[in-house]
Amino acid sequence: MTINYIMQQLVNGLALGSIYALLAIGLTMVYGILRLINFAHGDLMMLGAYVSSIFISATILPILFAVVIPTLLMALMGLIVERTAYRPLRGAPEVAMLITSLGVSRLLQNSTVLVLSPQPRAFRLPGDLTQTMNVGGIRFTQLDVLTFLLVIALMVLLTLYINRSKTGMAMRASSENLRAARLIGINVNWAIGAAFVLGSALAGTAGFLWASRYGIIDPFMGFLPGVKAFVAAVIGGIGSIRGAVAGGVILGVAEIGFVGFLPPEFSGYRDAFVFSLLLIVLLVRPNGLFGKSEVERA
Amino acid sequence: MLEIRNLSVAYGKIVAVSNLSLTVNEGEIVTVVGGNGAGKTTTLRTVSGVLKPRSGEILFKGKSMVGLSPEAIVTRGISHSPEGRMIFGRLTITENLKLGAYNRKDPSGVKSDMERMFGMFPVLEQRKSQRAGTLSGGEQQMLAIARSLMSRPNLLLLDEPSLGLAPLLVEKIFDVVVELRNEGVTILLVEQNANEALRISDRAYVLETGTVTIEGPSTELINNPMLRAAYLGLD
Ligand SMILES: Nc1ncnc2c1ncn2[C@@H]1O[C@H](COP(=O)(O)OP(=O)(O)OP(=O)(O)O)[C@@H](O)[C@H]1O
Ligand SMILES: [Mg+2]
């Protein structure tokens, strides 16, 4: 095992982890406010990937469209899902929302099957994005670099927005104490809507990145990454954006490491490995890496 | 200013408030006393629009408030400083105050009110960029009151502001309440500390199991033998 091989796995892990991070941000924002594990989140990534594929095949348009349009459309989609599926359940037991999110997830998957096709389809990036570069023996693509830079930029923007804007302030207050936020007259529906819009937009971006990376899309591609991203959010400390990013990167690197460094007969257990990682973190640090302890929460 | 008529509120099957009527006139301090679970907090939360009444009317400045959202009610001039303070501990003191003014559209007015709050509670200014969770209990109570004042309310609902505070701070809180009334804010005060509350208020209501059992001017209630035994700890 050479140092190059290790670096190679690291690059691959970072690229996968960046996508988990994008998904985890949306999950952690929504969970922070509503205590909802949004199982439909990964399916928005799937829809984003399909939307992206339309713009990829229309080669006359610049590639930028294949990133921006799914991002915007999924932002809208997140808002629609929140309004129609989750908002009517405000005040209902949390488990009602949880089950609804499973239902929404199924609905999105099966609608895609119905409207398009259950068959996987190829997703081919034009141009140089997937061309491999070789720097000191480590191979990566422009896409890997783009993924990484995009995730960093989006995270910085989002953090600024949440820390500086009025809506961001309302989101943080709602996340800390939803009842108090309502009581003092904060428009919590607005704050919740913002969490869905921002998170779903990132899921749309992730759709493009995921599809570009694996070159194939299908109606069920989103579910497992969505669940794994939730694991990442918990590892990082649920409710924390920094935590979601750190958790996503850690999970991506660990997962690739598991496949890359253990004998090939283990690689079938990569999903099991991810979930055992969750169990271990919950045992050692129940609040995750960046989580607030209950005492601090006051 | 506030008129509650035959209000009933329930949590599922548990009826917390039944057939309660209560009036607050402009410029008054009105106290509500009553034992644990009497329905005081429930009444305030219903006025704020967080709970929906099962039946009854809530009129504010002659208009019905039932069915309005909490933010609509804040905008109309009712503000609520909740039981247990409920400040946002992970946000800074300044942010907590800004959120109290969430529905206001006049940034310069918000700014000058913030200065006013800092004048009233200097400790908040000294620590304005710190997380509110680092404040002591009494300071958090001051922040909760200041936050509720940031919406420029005509009517302030105060739920047990002196709970858990040292005697000196209790004095300070009651001084603030009187000062606010003198500035023109009408106040509906829920207090376990009935003695003090009756001393500063104009009228008072006694709640038992969700309904009013005694009402009258505070000076009368202070000498009511039943009340003295049950809530004032004197006999
Ligand atoms: N969220 C809730 N769900 C169910 N029952 C509740 C809820 N909140 C309050 N109750 C019940 O309603 C009744 C009135 O409660 P409330 O909090 O209004 O009393 P209170 O007068 O404010 O009491 P305290 O002085 O202890 O604050 C009590 O019997 C209480 O158990
Ligand atoms: Mg109470």
Side-chain angles (χ1 to χ4, degrees):
Chain A
M1 193 178 301
T2 63
I3 184 87
N4 271 355
Y5 182 75
I6 296 173
M7 292 303 289
Q8 187 66 57
Q9 299 306 317
L10 191 62
V11 168
N12 294 347
L14 285 176
L16 176 64
S18 305
I19 303 180
Y20 285 152
L22 277 186
L23 288 175
I25 288 172
L27 287 163
T28 213
M29 285 195 297
V30 164
Y31 185 90
I33 304 181
L34 288 180
R35 304 287 178 266
L36 163 68
I37 302 173
N38 183 13
F39 280 108
H41 195 63
D43 300 294
L44 288 185
M45 174 181 96
M46 176 273 294
L47 286 185
Y50 272 92
V51 172
S52 189
S53 77
I54 297 169
F55 287 88
I56 286 288
S57 24
T59 37
I60 29 161
L61 292 171
I63 184 91
L64 195 62
F65 281 80
V67 187
V68 174
I69 305 281
T71 300
L72 296 179
L73 276 184
M74 288 313 111
L76 180 67
M77 193 65 195
L79 189 65
I80 292 171
V81 168
E82 197 277 312
R83 284 276 163 103
T84 54
Y86 302 135
R87 189 173 297 185
L89 295 174
R90 208 78 91 232
E94 280 152 18
V95 67
M97 272 198 299
L98 185 79
I99 293 166
T100 304
S101 85
L102 276 168
V104 172
S105 164
R106 277 309 162 110
L107 181 74
L108 296 177
Q109 291 167 7
N110 290 328
S111 310
T112 311
V113 168
L114 209 64
V115 174
L116 298 166
S117 145
Q119 301 299 331
R121 57 164 82 176
F123 184 102
R124 244 182 282 291
L125 273 182
D128 319 322
L129 277 178
T130 46
Q131 211 132 63
T132 8
M133 295 181 284
N134 194 320
V135 176
I138 303 154
R139 293 177 321 137
F140 53 88
T141 61
Q142 287 187 15
L143 181 72
D144 292 332
V145 180
L146 177 79
T147 303
F148 208 59
L149 292 181
L150 198 61
V151 170
I152 290 173
L154 288 173
M155 184 187 125
V156 169
L157 284 177
L158 189 73
T159 308
L160 279 177
Y161 183 74
I162 291 195
N163 286 337
R164 301 280 169 83
S165 74
K166 186 175 169 186
T167 299
M169 199 160 71
M171 287 167 71
R172 283 181 288 133
S174 302
S175 177
E176 185 171 335
N177 190 339
L178 190 63
R179 284 176 49 188
R182 254 167 71 77
L183 188 77
I184 68 162
I186 294 173
N187 186 343
V188 296
N189 280 334
W190 176 267
I192 292 167
F196 272 92
V197 165
L198 294 170
S200 307
L202 297 187
T205 317
F208 164 80
L209 294 173
W210 187 279
S212 308
R213 186 163 182 77
Y214 294 102
I216 192 157
I217 61 180
D218 73 79
F220 307 100
M221 64 182 268
F223 191 76
L224 197 55
V227 175
K228 285 187 186 171
F230 189 78
V231 169
V234 173
I235 290 176
I238 194 86
S240 152
I241 294 196
R242 264 187 313 164
V245 173
V249 171
I250 289 169
L251 195 65
V253 170
E255 188 178 332
I256 295 290
F258 180 83
V259 179
F261 293 109
L262 290 181
E265 54 267 32
F266 282 97
S267 64
Y269 297 103
R270 67 194 281 178
D271 300 335
F273 167 73
V274 165
F275 296 113
S276 16
L277 207 61
L278 172 68
L279 291 181
I280 293 166
V281 170
L282 286 181
L283 283 175
V284 181
R285 266 191 80 97
N287 291 306
L289 302 175
F290 288 86
K292 310 274 178 295
S293 73
E294 290 302 324
V295 186
E296 260 179 279
R297 223 168 245 166
Chain B
M1 176 171 261
L2 179 74
E3 199 177 342
I4 302 177
R5 284 192 205 140
N6 307 106
L7 184 72
S8 296
V9 191
Y11 299 97
K13 286 201 180 103
I14 306 164
V15 177
V17 170
S18 63
N19 210 25
L20 177 146
S21 296
L22 176 161
T23 313
V24 184
N25 299 312
E26 186 154 8
E28 278 188 321
I29 299 178
V30 171
T31 296
V32 176
V33 294
N36 292 115
K40 307 179 296 290
T41 299
T42 303
T43 304
L44 294 194
R45 290 171 60 81
T46 311
V47 172
S48 299
V50 177
L51 296 173
K52 301 287 168 243
R54 176 177 278 187
S55 62
E57 261 304 331
I58 300 171
L59 300 175
F60 178 63
K61 299 179 191 164
K63 296 210 180 72
S64 175
M65 294 287 116
V66 175
L68 292 183
S69 68
E71 59 261 33
I73 291 174
V74 170
T75 311
R76 280 165 179 70
I78 301 180
S79 195
H80 187 157
S81 174
E83 181 177 29
R85 298 157 202 157
M86 293 196 188
I87 52 128
F88 302 110
R90 277 182 262 157
L91 275 58
T92 66
I93 287 148
T94 307
E95 286 174 332
N96 271 273
L97 292 176
K98 280 185 184 161
L99 285 168
Y102 186 82
N103 291 297
R104 285 176 61 177
K105 303 275 182 284
D106 57 329
S108 61
V110 171
K111 224 173 160 184
S112 72
D113 277 356
M114 183 105 69
E115 292 307 319
R116 214 162 59 90
M117 291 308 129
F118 287 151
M120 204 181 254
F121 307 103
V123 60
L124 298 183
E125 177 160 37
Q126 286 157 24
R127 306 184 51 181
K128 62 184 176 187
S129 330
Q130 292 179 24
R131 285 176 176 222
T134 64
L135 294 174
S136 76
E139 290 161 350
Q140 290 189 11
Q141 185 59 58
M142 291 175 204
L143 177 60
I145 294 177
R147 183 183 64 182
S148 62
L149 290 171
M150 286 301 292
S151 65
R152 281 228 177 144
N154 306 118
L155 174 66
L156 179 61
L157 312 176
L158 284 172
D159 198 347
E160 307 210 16
S162 76
L163 191 69
L165 300 189
L168 215 63
L169 274 171
V170 174
E171 281 307 317
K172 162 88 181 161
I173 296 286
F174 281 109
D175 287 349
V176 166
V177 173
V178 172
E179 189 182 332
L180 289 173
R181 193 265 303 273
N182 294 342
E183 288 178 14
V185 185
T186 305
I187 287 159
L188 180 56
L189 172 67
V190 164
E191 260 301 335
Q192 301 269 12
N193 211 327
N195 242 325
E196 285 287 341
L198 287 176
R199 199 162 299 147
I200 62 163
S201 60
D202 303 295
R203 290 185 308 111
Y205 292 81
V206 179
L207 246 60
E208 271 170 58
T209 57
T211 200
V212 174
T213 50
I214 310 175
E215 62 176 285
S218 302
T219 44
E220 255 170 50
L221 291 206
I222 245 175
N223 297 314
N224 181 315
M226 263 172 69
L227 203 72
R228 288 176 74 85
Y231 301 107
L232 301 180
L234 315 160
D235 43 9

